Amino acid sequence: MSKTTKKILAICLCAALCLGGAGMAFAQASSKKADDQPVSAAQQAAELQQKISKDETVYVLTGADGSVKKIIVSDWLKNAMAADSLEDKTELSDIENIKGDESFTLGGDNSCVWDAQGNDIYYQGNIEKELPVQMSVCYTLDGQAIAPEALAGQSGHVTIRFDYQNMQYEEVLLDGKTEKIYVPFTMLTGMLLDTEVFRNVTISNGKLINDGDRI
């Protein structure tokens, strides 16, 4: 195993959780329809709910052992109504507009109002929070446990094992007993292995694809 292995592992051990979010963003709009008929608050909220949505992707940067180093959250506020302002709820710190120059104002109760100027808003920030799924990675060389940083320059039979632990559950009463009901998740691990470094690769619960240069 060459010194490039450590770089390969560092790239492979970044996990991403994709979460869809809707109903967290609201637009500023008129309280009357085009025919000047008054619109109830419930009707207005329902119309906004259909036209304003929020997509969120959470990027988890980890160490080679799977330990969390940093969590970056990327949000997309879809401004289908081309509203002048968008109100969002966020727990992020170090918020940055990543695709425009629209400004925002932070308020209480995690509120964030964007001066959208009719545009979609793309922003990202950081958060410190327990992930719904935790990941751990362990390594063995010729059957012996080894630290990932010690693998560079070594040769032999290497085993890399990924384990996940579901941390998100609710306690419910079933037949007089309190039971933990876990939220279902699907976890996928992907790796790129240089064929000049790795040979005779096998995998459990997965699929191998070889393009000649990489597995």
Side-chain angles (χ1 to χ4, degrees):
M1 184 179 294
S2 71
K3 293 183 179 179
T4 61
T5 304
K6 189 172 181 181
K7 293 182 180 179
I8 294 172
L9 293 175
I11 294 173
C12 296
L13 299 180
C14 293
L17 301 177
C18 296
L19 309 174
M24 294 294 289
F26 303 90
Q28 186 178 57
S30 172
S31 61
K32 290 186 178 182
K33 293 184 179 178
D35 56 4
D36 289 332
Q37 294 298 317
V39 180
S40 69
Q43 288 176 315
Q44 185 179 8
E47 291 177 0
L48 292 175
Q49 182 76 13
Q50 293 175 353
K51 297 181 180 180
I52 304 299
S53 61
K54 176 180 177 179
D55 281 354
E56 184 169 90
T57 303
V58 181
Y59 299 94
V60 183
L61 307 184
T62 75
D65 60 354
S67 60
V68 176
K69 301 300 183 182
K70 189 175 184 179
I71 302 175
I72 302 173
V73 181
S74 181
D75 286 319
W76 173 17
L77 298 182
K78 301 178 181 180
N79 192 1
M81 295 180 62
D84 290 332
S85 64
L86 294 175
E87 182 176 345
D88 187 27
K89 291 281 189 179
T90 182
E91 298 179 78
L92 304 183
S93 61
D94 302 321
I95 295 175
E96 178 184 2
N97 187 334
I98 57 177
K99 283 196 175 182
D101 56 7
E102 299 87 358
S103 60
F104 65 91
T105 303
L106 291 175
D109 195 27
N110 297 323
S111 67
C112 179
V113 180
W114 286 90
D115 181 18
Q117 305 171 34
N119 302 318
D120 287 6
I121 300 296
Y122 302 85
Y123 71 92
Q124 75 177 27
N126 303 324
I127 193 170
E128 294 184 7
K129 199 170 186 179
E130 182 179 72
L131 296 173
V133 179
Q134 292 184 355
M135 180 179 71
S136 62
V137 190
C138 60
Y139 307 80
T140 62
L141 178 62
D142 294 329
Q144 300 296 318
I146 186 172
E149 59 270 17
L151 280 174
Q154 300 293 325
S155 63
H157 182 259
V158 177
T159 300
I160 306 174
R161 178 183 172 89
F162 292 79
D163 287 290
Y164 301 96
Q165 183 179 1
N166 192 340
M167 305 298 294
Q168 190 162 328
Y169 62 86
E170 292 185 4
E171 292 186 347
V172 299
L173 191 63
L174 296 176
D175 297 328
K177 295 183 179 180
T178 300
E179 302 285 352
K180 291 182 179 179
I181 303 299
Y182 286 86
V183 175
F185 289 97
T186 297
M187 303 300 297
L188 173 68
T189 299
M191 301 185 71
L192 296 176
L193 304 177
D194 191 333
T195 54
E196 293 185 359
V197 179
F198 294 91
R199 298 179 178 85
N200 303 319
V201 177
T202 60
I203 188 172
S204 300
N205 303 315
K207 183 177 182 178
L208 295 175
I209 299 176
N210 193 327
D211 67 3
D213 296 322
R214 299 172 301 178
I215 301 170

